[in-house]
Amino acid sequence: MSQSIARNNNTATQDDENISINLILAILSTGIMAFIGILTETLTNVLFLGLMAEFHVDTSTVQWLTTGYLLTVALVTPLSSYFKRKLKLRTIFLTAIVLCITGCLMAACTLNFPMLMTARILQGAGTGIALPLMFNIILEQSPKSKIGMLMGVGGMVVAVAPALGPTCGRSCRYVHAVALDFRDSAAVPVCFAGVRP
């Protein structure tokens, strides 16, 4: 009888230590938002020359795309504990995704520099909400034995994105240059990071 009780306790412990598919999806979705937000943070720096030519602004003005974005992330991130106390996780997540998507769409269709700056601020607000939300979900909902592994995955998202940003930004410059070559002869609609042909 004691063996069956011990076996049942081991089974219950193993069930409690499994990571549910809903938890994986929640971490994955917030991780993707955080990854894209951090990626665009470093990607924009490589696009400065093209943006300066496109919007006829100088270096001290175009650098506000990164500075304003980082200031917004820095201001919104500490508010995550307040949001967590006042709102449901679903509401926080939907707010973050709406801000990120709105900022990306606005940046892709921008007509002038102030519109692009507004888009970057919206993207920064979405990233500032998504990044702590990912770690919050990991710490609150993960089994205790899996927290270290999942925090490592979350840390990898934060560490890999800045490394890939300049590479992706350089690729975007080449795509934009090819689109400019075909602008008059073929209708190639390329809108990326606020750089329109």
Side-chain angles (χ1 to χ4, degrees):
M1 173 139 174
S2 63
Q3 289 178 345
S4 68
I5 292 173
R7 222 178 281 138
N8 288 341
N9 286 341
N10 286 340
T11 306
T13 304
Q14 288 174 350
D15 289 341
D16 291 343
E17 298 300 311
N18 288 334
I19 302 172
S20 71
I21 190 73
N22 288 341
L23 179 60
I24 291 171
L25 291 174
I27 294 169
L28 185 65
S29 58
T30 54
I32 288 171
M33 264 196 303
F35 179 83
I36 291 172
I38 295 169
L39 182 76
T40 60
E41 170 190 326
T42 55
L43 178 142
T44 307
N45 294 336
V46 182
L47 299 174
F48 277 177
L49 290 176
L51 292 169
M52 289 166 57
E54 180 72 26
F55 296 114
H56 309 291
V57 293
D58 59 356
T59 309
S60 63
T61 304
V62 79
Q63 63 87 23
W64 274 101
L65 291 175
T66 299
T67 305
Y69 176 88
L70 290 173
L71 283 172
T72 305
V73 171
L75 289 172
V76 173
T77 300
L79 295 175
S80 63
S81 64
Y82 174 78
F83 294 146
K84 176 72 176 81
R85 284 194 308 268
K86 297 293 184 183
L87 304 169
K88 295 179 182 177
L89 278 179
R90 182 183 201 94
T91 306
I92 298 169
F93 174 77
L94 290 174
T95 302
I97 199 140
V98 164
L99 287 169
C100 284
I101 290 173
T102 304
C104 286
L105 290 175
M106 192 173 177
C109 301
T110 192
L111 301 173
N112 52 36
F113 187 80
M115 188 175 173
L116 182 58
M117 187 68 212
T118 304
R120 293 293 291 157
I121 290 171
L122 291 174
Q123 288 174 335
T127 303
I129 293 170
L131 191 59
L133 182 61
M134 176 182 64
F135 289 109
N136 190 7
I137 290 170
I138 291 171
L139 290 172
E140 281 189 353
Q141 299 180 11
S142 300
K144 288 186 179 179
S145 66
K146 306 289 184 184
I147 287 178
M149 178 190 68
L150 294 173
M151 288 293 283
V153 170
M156 191 171 61
V157 165
V158 175
V160 169
L164 295 178
T167 305
C168 293
R170 191 153 177 86
S171 299
C172 292
R173 283 179 50 198
Y174 291 129
V175 168
H176 181 64
V178 169
L180 286 176
D181 290 342
F182 292 107
R183 178 173 54 182
D184 297 326
S185 59
V188 180
V190 175
C191 293
F192 188 78
V195 181
R196 53 187 177 82

